[in-house]
Amino acid sequence: MTTTAITHIASLVTNDPSLRADSPLGLIQDAAVVIEGDRVVWTGESSKAPATDNTVDAGGRAAIPGFVDSHSHLVFAGDRTEEFNARMSGRAYSAGGIRTTVAATRAATDEELSANVARYLAEALRQGTTTIETKSGYGLTVEDEARALRIAARHTEEVTYLGAHIVSPDYADDPAGYVDLVTGAMLDACAPYARWVDVFCEKGAFDGDQARAVLTAGRAKGLHPRVHANQLGHGPGVQLAVELDAASADHCTHLTDADIDALAHGNTVATLLPGAEFSTRAAWPDARRILDAGATVALSTDCNPGSSFTSSMPFCIALAVRDMGMTPDEALWSATAGGAAALRRTDIGRIAPGARADLVLLDAPSHVHLAYRPGVPLVHAVWQHGERVV
């Protein structure tokens, strides 16, 4: 395997807290990174970099780990422009809008759905995202949910079964029957393609008992739980997530003190999705309150056609800093190492020996520019699995 050194990095974010007692980012100034194959094998000061087969001069740019987007919904067809336009004209968002996408997704071919996933993954990659989780949830039949996961698994290793997104329109008068389907025949068909099981635990979707049934059935099939929790109001989602050792409770917009205490004392990551609040004009999650309690926070795009049609992690970082009480350092950590924690991964979200060589060079001397210069395309180059891809 050949070795490549990226040298003259103005500021390297390693996310290795052992390097700097004052910051979890483990910053190294005037740094270098050495890649061998698909792994990082050395980090340190540029002047001390070992000899390598190839050298790339970063030219005084900052380097950060590739973003880890731990929550997205990319297997869909169509969009919901009219719904967004209406909402921005004063109508409130409701979970019922998902049915529009369900109809379009069912009508799409496999090739159309796969092309859409590839398009949005490429869009995210150009913005520095090197790992992305995505879900089913817009099919809501055994056949359509299974094909969504088959398609997703061709494009990413982080695939989530979300048959319990909403009650299928086909079961509008029999939600209990739909839960039986999600925990029975649909789960049997979907489990081979997924790593995770998720449920939208919310008024208008699934209550606490229904969510528990879905998650425990998925866990019995070897899928690890995740939960859409406490987005539209207070509810049992966060408590259920912590109780079942879910990897993440996602949204976390409306939290009680007991919810925050549970997150702080459990292993469940609070994944915040500021694109959803931006696109629905909803109340912002209070990241400061969650962080100050000692809970782990991830940031993600929630890329979906209804409530957060963005694939930009830099945009979400800027929103988190501006409107959710996070510092630039906290937001970057949450968009990289935090996302890795939400996927229970230790090989991504950091730049350190042994980690996968996923990293981003910014057209800026510091990662702070991601929030300081919102909306500006700052990604200069991206390495994924040790290969330069942007």
Side-chain angles (χ1 to χ4, degrees):
M1 290 186 290
T2 59
T3 55
T4 299
I6 305 171
T7 62
H8 301 115
I9 298 168
S11 177
L12 172 66
V13 174
T14 68
N15 285 340
D16 181 354
S18 69
L19 298 180
R20 288 277 298 272
D22 61 336
S23 171
L25 297 186
L27 292 171
I28 305 174
Q29 307 301 326
D30 191 16
V33 175
V34 175
I35 298 168
E36 183 175 6
D38 68 347
R39 297 285 148 175
V40 174
V41 294
W42 185 91
T43 62
E45 296 177 13
S46 191
S47 62
K48 299 177 181 177
T52 55
D53 300 312
N54 304 299
T55 301
V56 175
D57 190 332
R61 296 178 175 89
I64 62 173
F67 296 122
V68 180
D69 189 346
S70 60
H71 183 128
S72 77
H73 304 250
L74 301 184
V75 188
F76 68 88
D79 67 25
R80 292 185 359 223
T81 303
E82 292 182 6
E83 177 187 324
F84 176 80
N85 194 28
R87 188 163 62 239
M88 292 300 104
S89 302
R91 292 188 210 166
Y93 165 72
S94 69
I98 294 169
R99 292 173 178 82
T100 304
T101 303
V102 170
T105 303
R106 288 179 177 180
T109 66
D110 288 12
E111 292 74 21
E112 289 168 336
L113 293 176
S114 185
N116 275 348
V117 174
R119 170 190 169 194
Y120 296 121
L121 286 175
E123 185 179 276
L125 185 64
R126 291 193 299 270
Q127 299 172 90
T129 297
T130 51
T131 301
I132 194 163
E133 177 271 0
T134 200
K135 310 173 190 296
S136 65
Y138 293 126
L140 309 185
T141 68
V142 172
E143 180 181 352
D144 285 305
E145 285 294 292
R147 79 162 176 154
L149 293 172
R150 283 198 306 270
I151 290 166
R154 296 174 196 159
H155 296 277
T156 179
E157 59 203 327
E158 297 293 347
V159 178
T160 300
Y161 167 49
L162 182 60
H165 201 181
I166 59 168
V167 173
S168 169
D170 308 322
Y171 285 79
D173 298 323
D174 185 17
Y178 186 65
V179 171
D180 288 343
L181 182 69
V182 168
T183 58
M186 188 183 288
L187 174 61
D188 291 341
C190 290
Y193 305 105
R195 183 182 177 204
W196 308 96
V197 59
D198 200 346
V199 60
F200 189 9
C201 183
E202 198 75 56
K203 185 178 180 180
F206 297 89
D207 64 24
D209 290 339
Q210 292 168 325
R212 181 187 298 278
V214 169
L215 296 174
T216 53
R219 194 165 61 177
K221 283 285 187 179
L223 307 182
H224 203 88
R226 323 180 69 77
V227 184
H228 282 61
N230 300 55
Q231 176 188 6
L232 305 179
H234 295 289
V238 165
Q239 297 284 344
L240 182 62
V242 175
E243 177 193 335
L244 296 181
D245 189 37
S248 65
D250 297 25
H251 288 289
C252 293
T253 310
H254 300 276
L255 301 180
T256 65
D257 289 344
D259 293 332
I260 290 180
D261 185 67
L263 289 167
H265 290 91
N267 297 316
T268 299
V269 174
T271 300
L272 307 183
L273 310 169
E277 280 70 41
F278 178 88
S279 297
T280 61
R281 288 180 174 162
W284 298 100
D286 189 347
R288 183 79 270 134
R289 184 177 168 219
I290 301 169
L291 287 163
D292 287 348
T296 300
V297 169
L299 284 178
S300 186
T301 64
D302 190 20
C303 185
N304 76 84
S307 60
S308 183
F309 204 2
T310 180
S311 58
S312 175
M313 290 290 275
F315 175 63
C316 291
I317 286 172
L319 292 180
V321 172
R322 169 63 179 80
D323 292 304
M324 288 165 40
M326 300 183 83
T327 68
D329 284 12
E330 289 168 339
L332 178 62
W333 189 94
S334 294
T336 53
L343 295 174
R344 300 214 163 155
R345 299 275 297 272
T346 59
D347 60 326
I348 56 175
R350 61 193 183 97
I351 301 175
R356 200 168 76 184
D358 295 346
L359 61 125
V360 178
L361 283 185
L362 301 176
D363 272 326
S366 166
H367 66 280
V368 177
H369 281 236
L370 291 165
Y372 180 42
R373 305 196 68 207
V376 177
L378 293 177
V379 172
H380 174 78
V382 179
W383 280 260
Q384 185 182 44
H385 295 270
E387 296 288 335
R388 184 169 178 174
V389 291
V390 174

